[in-house]
Amino acid sequence: MFDHFSRRAFIGASLVAVGTLPYSVSAIAAPQCVSGSLPGFLPNRLTVDCASRMNFRLFRQNPTDLGLAGVVSMTFVRGNQGSYSAGNLFLFPWLKAKGRARKIVWPSVAPTDATQFFQASPMPNNYLPVGDYFCQFVLKAPVSNFIGFELDAAPFEQGRAKLPWVTNVNKLADGKPVGINWTSSNLNRPWFGGNSCIPNTDTCNGLAWRKVIVDGLNQASVGAC
């Protein structure tokens, strides 16, 4: 269904969401960190909801079929599907070409809170920003409340691994690697001084955010509901 979704409509919806941000466009473009209603917000540890743990397990079981969108709530969030605390890690799958070709019903889920969830089909591809899709069309929550990144079960090859916006984690708590792309076309800019990438420096606590997210992925990789 989403394959036929209008790209113009998606971008328009994104612009409407950006228009709801509590600061001006010039503020977004300025080289300063913006943290909404929680200045300097950086949790010591993320919470990982039950749905995200289940989705991570599905991702591990089907590494050539699925990628994962990752987002973190930067404030308390109330969406159409539920309410979520600040500092929650969300993980939700998208279909790679092989996964789309299998034509099966994937047992992916989305949270209504930390322990409750509902059945939700994976995103059909990553042609449009997966973090935006997840927030707008799965959680049905304001994109302005989140930062985002993307995961693949396979580490990045040697050349790409040197790029500042990617990280290879050689072994999570489950003993397997993961490749992380720290960019999000729309989610990260308001929180990281206009940068679409969670920085690999201390700017806007970028390195600290990367560390706390990897810790959250470790939780997701071994935790059970």
Side-chain angles (χ1 to χ4, degrees):
M1 177 179 177
F2 189 74
D3 287 337
H4 303 296
F5 186 85
S6 165
R7 182 178 181 88
R8 179 178 299 175
F10 182 90
I11 293 172
S14 298
L15 291 175
V16 169
V18 170
T20 66
L21 296 177
Y23 31 75
S24 68
V25 173
S26 59
I28 295 174
Q32 58 185 336
C33 307
V34 178
S35 299
S37 60
L38 294 177
F41 173 64
L42 176 66
N44 292 324
R45 199 173 205 201
L46 301 177
T47 56
V48 185
D49 58 74
C50 184
S52 294
R53 295 174 188 272
M54 295 172 67
N55 288 335
F56 190 92
R57 188 179 310 124
L58 181 67
F59 163 74
R60 280 302 199 205
Q61 293 169 346
N62 302 276
T64 60
D65 299 301
L66 302 173
L68 275 185
V71 302
V72 176
S73 50
M74 298 295 280
T75 66
F76 172 80
V77 179
R78 190 182 303 279
N80 285 7
Q81 305 291 2
S83 299
Y84 317 96
S85 62
N88 189 79
L89 174 65
F90 302 80
L91 300 170
F92 192 77
W94 57 269
L95 294 175
K96 298 179 180 179
K98 184 178 177 181
R100 293 194 296 275
R102 291 180 63 183
K103 305 293 184 183
I104 66 173
V105 177
W106 296 92
S108 51
V109 291
T112 56
D113 58 30
T115 60
Q116 304 299 312
F117 50 85
F118 60 95
Q119 189 75 31
S121 298
M123 292 175 277
N125 52 56
N126 67 336
Y127 301 160
L128 293 172
V130 291
D132 296 60
Y133 182 106
F134 174 69
C135 295
Q136 290 192 55
F137 302 110
V138 182
L139 292 185
K140 299 181 180 178
V143 298
S144 57
N145 291 346
F146 299 90
I147 59 174
F149 57 96
E150 192 172 329
L151 299 176
D152 200 303
F156 293 98
E157 297 179 357
Q158 186 173 3
R160 290 199 67 198
K162 295 179 180 179
L163 297 172
W165 56 86
V166 302
T167 297
N168 283 337
V169 179
N170 294 326
K171 185 167 66 174
L172 289 177
D174 64 354
K176 299 177 182 179
V178 70
I180 308 172
N181 184 331
W182 296 106
T183 60
S184 174
S185 299
N186 299 316
L187 302 187
N188 293 338
R189 296 180 190 276
W191 300 92
F192 297 104
N195 194 341
S196 63
C197 172
I198 300 174
N200 65 341
T201 66
D202 290 330
T203 301
C204 301
N205 289 323
L207 280 175
W209 269 110
R210 289 190 179 198
K211 181 177 179 180
V212 80
I213 287 170
V214 171
D215 175 71
L217 296 176
N218 276 308
Q219 294 181 63
S221 74
V222 295
C225 298

